[in-house]
Amino acid sequence: MPELSQETERGRGAAPYGLAEVTGPSMVPTLYQGDQLLVRYGARVRAGDVVVLRHPFQQDLLVVKRAVELREGGWWVLGDNAYAGGDSTDYGTVPDELILGRALFRWRPRRADQRSPLALVRWALSAARPVLSSDRSGRSASRRLRAR
């Protein structure tokens, strides 16, 4: 269930930007194990944004989810992987004060098995991408919300 390494919090201080490493499958296919995120702390959150938050029941645990909608009591957040769990369907809305920031950019490190020239080209073309907000019609999180 953990989503980010604890290195996100180390040395953060008052810096508005930080790095986070993704662990766990809850945001697949948007984010994968080992992806690095550039996070803007304190950024305004809109529906569809990928956010970093403190887990409501284990506040020393940081997770990354998609903010789906603002409800009474906070944000309803869901993972893009409907089978991974560990989102608002388990713990309800997340209070605003537990939302730390918004993911802006994703860097996918090269795997050790990506050695052929073709594999290197594929990696180079897809390694760095902005983390885009989704519209309510296209992402798995939104489809899961409408299905309830």
Side-chain angles (χ1 to χ4, degrees):
M1 160 85 174
E3 284 297 325
L4 296 177
S5 70
Q6 292 301 317
E7 304 215 0
T8 301
E9 288 292 288
R10 283 191 209 130
R12 192 176 118 209
Y17 295 93
L19 295 176
E21 181 179 346
V22 176
T23 60
S26 75
M27 288 299 291
V28 171
T30 306
L31 302 171
Y32 289 90
Q33 174 88 15
D35 284 357
Q36 303 289 317
L37 298 177
L38 175 63
V39 179
R40 174 141 191 223
Y41 293 103
R44 190 174 71 125
V45 175
R46 296 180 314 244
D49 287 347
V50 174
V51 296
V52 174
L53 58 116
R54 291 189 183 281
H55 191 284
F57 301 141
Q58 296 176 289
Q59 293 187 11
D60 61 333
L61 178 65
L62 302 178
V63 294
V64 60
K65 301 292 179 203
R66 189 171 302 277
V68 177
E69 69 179 12
L70 192 56
R71 295 182 175 184
E72 185 177 329
W75 281 96
W76 188 262
V77 297
L78 295 174
D80 285 356
N81 181 351
Y83 302 106
D87 53 25
S88 285
T89 57
D90 295 329
Y91 46 73
T93 59
V94 177
D96 285 331
E97 60 269 14
L98 295 183
I99 305 290
L100 300 178
R102 182 169 47 103
L104 302 174
F105 197 78
R106 184 259 307 157
W107 168 260
R108 186 161 292 152
R110 185 174 64 90
R111 295 188 325 255
D113 65 341
Q114 292 176 311
R115 288 179 273 172
S116 74
L118 181 58
L120 289 174
V121 168
R122 285 183 179 162
W123 168 79
L125 292 174
S126 68
R129 296 260 168 106
V131 178
L132 301 175
S133 297
S134 70
D135 64 357
R136 303 250 338 181
S137 63
R139 301 303 301 188
S140 60
S142 297
R143 285 194 301 268
R144 287 178 56 208
L145 181 63
R146 283 196 308 269
R148 297 201 185 292

